[in-house]
Amino acid sequence: MTRQIRTSPAACDESLHQAYDTALLDLDGVVYAGGRAIGHAVESLAAARAAGMHLAYVTNNALRTPEAVAEHLGELGIPTDAAEVITSAQAVARLIAEQVEPGSKVLVIGGEGLRVALRERGLVPVESADEEGLAAVVQGYGGPDLAWGRFAEASYAINRGVPWYASNTDLTIPGARGIAPGNGAAVEVVRIATGAEPQVAGKPLPPMHRETVLRTGAKRPLVVGDRLDTDIEGAFNGEVDSLLVLTGVTDAEQLLRAEPRHRPTYVDRDLRGLLAGQPEVVPAAEGFRCGGWTAVALNNGLLDLREADEDSGEGATTGDGATTGDGGPGPDPLDGLRALCAAAWTAAADGVCTLDAAKALARLGL
């Protein structure tokens, strides 16, 4: 399938919560981190819902059940029904159920979310590789206390020829104290021990997108995430629009260096971006302009960022010189990042930008 290569963040005249019927929201790094709500998430989601946008929470974390996730969101001040939570455990359980006999035994390496999802599909979760008639091994994030011996149990079964499935392969997971190893890191342990390759269901792969569409019925969805290699690539694979928020794993420099399948439709600081339109990035004489910034890819291998000429009347400032963003007086730093994205992505064409953007990003404080 041929897709148009994105060379700039898109504009949207309407607020995103009006332009799209459903927000497909990642959780870790978008709504919360380490169990605590991310700044502006609770009030932004409440406003979007009140205005008629449907909210669905789509997570690659297979540890908790949808009921547990919904309860946690409620405790954070985000009323949520379990049916509004879609997990990679549900996606991988459907994938397994389509390939094995009803009532089959599945060795579980992970948490309760996997067990509940398997039972929902008529499968029987078990704990030992020595179970007679074992049909599959499934691996999902089991939390920081998952015993090392569970990886050995998976390896015993896989080395005997039992098919292997993984809920997702995210190498990292954001938490309150920083970035920690995710299920993908655990999958690598088993891969090294077995030489096998699992079938993977989670973002960015099609089984997760299919599970989400089946469960939400979204007609014009907007994927909202913090990871380029799962959330944004998943939206790309599903041919739907995406919003990257800078509250989790991805930082500004990684965004500039994104390959085509990792380039979001829109970019914003946090979930307040749902409640706003998105500014246009336009070609300028030498580069690209957004708001009060112009970004240029120079021949010496640098990305240059300049403030627009104050005498030209350009820029995104209000009458008192302040901006509507968090950047304080002067042009909004986020507009500068959008302009830099256009310069970097255009310079990279269908590859990855290699231009030095450190000085330009330092000007923005991003």
Side-chain angles (χ1 to χ4, degrees):
M1 187 186 319
T2 301
R3 295 181 177 88
Q4 182 178 3
I5 294 176
R6 180 170 297 285
T7 57
S8 172
C12 187
D13 293 335
E14 294 181 277
S15 295
L16 296 183
H17 74 290
Q18 297 172 327
Y20 298 88
D21 71 339
T22 306
L24 305 180
L25 296 131
D26 184 45
L27 288 171
D28 294 305
V30 176
V31 178
Y32 55 64
R36 297 182 180 180
I38 287 173
H40 309 289
V42 174
E43 55 268 39
S44 297
L45 293 172
R49 184 189 289 276
M53 187 179 217
H54 178 57
L55 307 179
Y57 301 93
V58 185
T59 177
N60 261 359
N61 191 329
L63 177 61
R64 294 186 293 173
T65 66
E67 288 76 12
V69 172
E71 181 179 357
H72 180 209
L73 289 170
E75 291 169 351
L76 296 178
I78 306 169
T80 306
D81 188 272
E84 296 174 307
V85 178
I86 300 94
T87 73
S88 63
Q90 294 171 321
V92 77
R94 188 187 296 270
L95 183 63
I96 295 169
E98 291 172 342
Q99 299 181 28
V100 304
E101 294 296 323
S104 292
K105 296 177 183 178
V106 180
L107 174 61
V108 175
I109 311 299
E112 186 62 15
L114 278 175
R115 295 177 180 85
V116 170
L118 290 169
R119 294 189 191 104
E120 183 184 41
R121 292 288 156 209
L123 302 171
V124 180
V126 299
E127 302 301 313
S128 173
D130 295 331
E131 284 278 352
E132 185 177 352
L134 189 64
V137 177
V138 63
Q139 188 172 359
Y141 184 65
D145 299 322
L146 185 66
W148 186 260
R150 300 306 295 158
F151 304 144
E153 204 68 27
S155 299
Y156 300 148
I158 295 164
N159 281 327
R160 295 169 190 162
V162 178
W164 178 28
Y165 300 81
S167 64
N168 68 294
T169 52
D170 295 13
L171 291 173
T172 60
I173 187 169
R177 298 173 59 193
I179 303 299
N183 190 55
V187 167
E188 285 301 311
V189 172
V190 178
R191 180 186 279 120
I192 291 168
T194 64
E197 291 290 334
Q199 292 189 54
V200 183
K203 296 179 286 186
L205 297 172
M208 189 66 172
H209 182 72
R210 179 182 59 159
E211 191 73 20
T212 301
V213 171
L214 288 173
R215 289 181 180 266
T216 65
K219 302 300 182 185
R220 189 157 190 245
L222 177 69
V223 170
V224 184
D226 69 307
R227 300 183 68 110
L228 301 179
D229 60 346
T230 55
D231 305 314
I232 305 308
E233 185 177 341
F236 176 85
N237 290 338
E239 298 187 86
V240 297
D241 288 346
S242 61
L243 167 66
L244 177 79
V245 291
L246 300 174
T247 50
V249 169
T250 301
D251 61 25
E253 184 171 358
Q254 290 169 328
L255 176 61
L256 294 184
R257 301 191 187 287
E259 58 186 288
R261 60 188 175 145
H262 292 165
R263 296 172 187 171
T265 313
Y266 312 110
V267 58
D268 224 305
R269 290 180 181 83
D270 50 53
L271 286 177
R272 287 176 294 178
L274 280 178
L275 307 178
Q278 294 286 310
E280 185 177 14
V281 181
V282 298
E286 299 176 297
F288 296 88
R289 186 179 70 249
C290 184
W293 297 99
T294 299
V296 181
L298 301 178
N299 292 331
N300 61 1
L302 297 177
L303 274 175
D304 184 40
L305 187 67
R306 310 163 187 172
E307 289 192 39
D309 184 353
E310 294 178 1
D311 295 332
S312 70
E314 298 172 352
T317 59
T318 61
D320 59 4
T323 71
T324 57
D326 288 341
D332 186 344
L334 195 60
D335 286 340
L337 178 59
R338 294 177 177 118
L340 283 169
C341 284
W345 296 351
T346 299
D350 59 353
V352 175
C353 179
T354 59
L355 295 171
D356 185 350
K359 185 175 180 180
L361 290 174
R363 289 197 66 187
L364 298 176
L366 296 172

